[in-house]
Structures are given as structure tokens and as C-alpha cells.
Amino acid sequence: MKRIIGLGFILMVFCVISAAALSLVYLLTKPTIDLYSKRTFENSLREVIPTADSFREINRVGMVFYQGMVSGTVTGAAFSLAPQGYSGKIEMLIGVDLNGKVSGIKILNQRETPGLGANVIKSNFLKQFIQKSLLDPIEPKKDIDAITGATITTRAVCRGVKSALDNYQMVRDKK
Amino acid sequence: MNFWKDFNQGLIKENPVLRLMIGLCPVLAVSNNATNALAMSVAVAFVLIGSNFVVALIRKIVPDEIRIPIFIIIISTFVTISDYVMQAYFQDLHHALGVFVPLIVVNCIILGRAEAFAYKNPVLNSVLDGVGMSIGFALALGSIGMIRELLGAGSVFGFQIFNPAVAATIMILPPGAFITIGFLMAALNKWENKVQ
């Protein structure tokens, strides 16, 4: 019994030292990590709403989205969506201008097959969606060239873009 | 003292990936391009050298019965530190390596070296062993990454060398890792037979 308590005590000492070291590193790196992730997200917003220079988060009709503004005037909105891809959700940010057309699209996170579906991040594919509106079909084989060997991924992005445009209309109508 | 031998054996003779065949999980997962492979090697090197150093330092005060949990505490501390640091200063790499940084905890190279070497040897030898093993790991992982990226995506370190449309995509998918490792091991064996 005495032996077990002794061993437990030694183990505890190691845990305490380890916890102290980790808290120190956490405190040192936390500000940089937060700053960086905030800046990365703002850069993504800037990419999908190129006309805006400041952004604010809006929560309307149960939907969270981002408004892009130039000196107080709204120039577009950005929607964050995550349609189901081939392996996991494809997180994307889609900017819509005031005419209801796609002003930019950026993939934030994806786990598609390397070499096939992962090509979804390439600008050659994504730029096809720019200027699309709800009047366009936005479907592979119609107005979108699919990624070779990744039809499911392509369809997921099309779905995402369509729901962003739908969301935009909903937000605008309920204004 | 066998400083040179301790350092040397991880390079080729006991290369962790191509000879001991341990720690293959991250090898398969992150070696689909050269940049990821090298970043992973650096993270593993930090953890391995750090844990070898600390384990050798405390080896005389650690009771035999609880040495494994203590090794794991030490290793996971170093892994978490490298995870935070990567997240703060190398965001893109952290993004690319994803879950495989925290998974270094269960990489058997590290626990293996702590148990088989650092627990029985002085600090300096253990650090040298860690450095040697890390370089061996980096050499193996780096060459696998370069070969896979070249054949599978037509580039090396992100520089396009030929049109990716004619590249063999299978090479950057998991089977490509097994194929590459097999060929590298064969080449290493052939070379060693020749030397002897």
C-alpha cells in the first residue's frame, strides 16, 4: 500500500511539472494563435467580397453571415457553408454582391482525396463560379466544368454556392 | 565512449522507417509531398530529442513500475508544446499536418527510443541517439515525400516540374506510400549487400 501511494505521488509530481510547462507555453502562444486566426478569416472575407474594406458579423432570421462595407455602405455579404463532400464536409466562404451574383469563393477547409477532390482549392476551378446567380443552373456538365475524377466534390461545391445565393435572397427579402 | 556509434546507427543501420519499420502511420499519411514530410520530420525531431534528453536525465529517479506512464507524460508534453508553437508561428504547416501532430504521441519511434535507449544511457548519448534517429527519420520521410510528390503531382517542394495531368495520382494516395517504401527498402538492402 505504501509503495502504491509513493508511486502515485511520483506520477503526480511529473504531471504537475508537465502541466506547468504546458500552461506557460499556452500563455505564450495563445495571443499569436488568436491574432493569426482572426486575421486569416478577415483575409478570406476580403477575398470573397473584394469590394469591401471592413466587415461585420450579422445574425438575422436565424442565420449568421458577414457584411462587407466601404465607409458604412454595404457592398456585399459572405456566407459560410459546409456541404458534405466525398470525405467529410467542405467548409467554404462565398461572397455575394448586391446584384445577387457570386463575387468570390474560398475553400477554408476540406479533406477530399489528394490529387483528385483536393483540387477543389484550385482557382481554375473556383473562378468558374464567379458572377453566377440564381438564374444560372450551377451544375456540372451544364455551366461548370467538373474536377476530373471528383464529381461528388464538384456537386458539393455547386450545392454550397446555390445555398449561399438562396441565403442571400432570404436575407434580402426579410430585410 | 561510443558517441559516434550512438549517433550513427539511426541513420541507416537502424533507420526507424526503412529498417525498424516503426512509426509508419505518420509516414504514410504526411509523405504525399516533400514540404509536409520535412515539417513532420522537424516536429518529430523536436519531440524525440526532447524526450530522450529528459528521460535520460531522470532515468535514475524513475521507479521501474511506472516508467511507461512517465515516458508518455514527458512525450505528450513535448508534443503539445510543438503543436502550440506550430499553430502560432507555422499556421499553414499546422493546417497541412492536421491531426498528425498530436498523433506524434503514439509514434512508436519516440516511446521505443525512450524505453530501449534513453532509459539505459547517459544524457549525451541519448541526445545523440535522438539526433541520429531524427535525421534517419527525416531522410526516409523526405525521400518518400519527394518521390511521391514528383511522381504523383509532378512537382517537388511545390515547384512544378512536369504537367500534373500526366502524373500518376496513385502515388499521392495511400498505396503510393507503401509502393515507395517497398522500393526504398529494396534499394537500401541491395546497396548494403554490395557494400559488405
Side-chain angles (χ1 to χ4, degrees), chain B residues 86-180:
Chain B
M86 245 187 189
Q87 216 172 332
Y89 304 106
F90 307 97
Q91 282 275 335
D92 295 340
L93 284 180
H94 186 265
H95 201 79
L97 297 181
V99 73
F100 291 100
V101 176
L103 276 180
I104 296 173
V105 174
V106 289
N107 188 324
C108 18
I109 295 172
I110 294 157
L111 184 61
R113 291 329 285 174
E115 167 77 3
F117 196 93
Y119 192 54
K120 297 168 192 149
N121 288 285
V123 173
L124 189 55
N125 300 58
S126 301
V127 169
L128 284 173
D129 178 72
V131 174
M133 283 286 161
S134 303
I135 295 175
F137 185 73
L139 281 178
L141 200 54
S143 38
I144 296 167
M146 271 197 272
I147 294 170
R148 288 180 69 192
E149 191 186 346
L150 179 66
L151 299 180
S155 59
V156 169
F157 288 109
F159 294 111
Q160 211 64 46
I161 292 180
F162 58 83
N163 186 350
V166 297
T169 304
I170 191 175
M171 292 306 287
I172 52 174
L173 299 179
F178 286 108
I179 296 171
T180 314

Side-chain angles (χ1 to χ4, degrees), chain A residues 6-126:
Chain A
L7 291 177
F9 181 76
I10 296 175
L11 211 49
M12 193 190 76
V13 170
F14 277 99
C15 287
V16 168
I17 296 172
S18 150
L22 283 182
S23 333
L24 183 70
V25 176
Y26 180 77
L27 287 178
L28 289 176
T29 52
K30 184 92 170 57
T32 325
I33 294 173
D34 286 348
L35 184 78
Y36 199 97
S37 60
K38 194 173 160 239
R39 206 187 293 151
T40 320
F41 191 71
E42 223 161 69
N43 283 341
S44 307
L45 283 174
R46 202 154 285 151
E47 263 179 67
V48 299
I49 318 178
T51 48
D53 58 13
S54 66
F55 302 92
R56 67 167 179 210
E57 200 181 302
I58 306 275
N59 193 334
R60 191 186 294 161
V61 284
M63 212 180 328
V64 177
F65 65 102
Y66 305 89
Q67 250 176 3
M69 294 173 298
V70 179
S71 53
T73 321
V74 178
T75 60
F79 298 87
S80 173
L81 286 147
Q84 180 70 33
Y86 182 71
S87 47
K89 296 199 182 311
I90 306 173
E91 289 170 37
M92 54 178 94
L93 199 63
I94 295 152
V96 184
D97 66 17
L98 293 180
N99 302 320
K101 288 184 171 169
V102 176
S103 59
I105 167 167
K106 188 172 165 78
I107 307 291
L108 303 176
N109 238 322
Q110 53 85 21
R111 283 181 294 153
E112 302 301 289
T113 322
L116 298 171
N119 286 333
V120 70
I121 55 166
K122 297 213 164 141
S123 62
N124 267 347
F125 170 71
L126 291 176

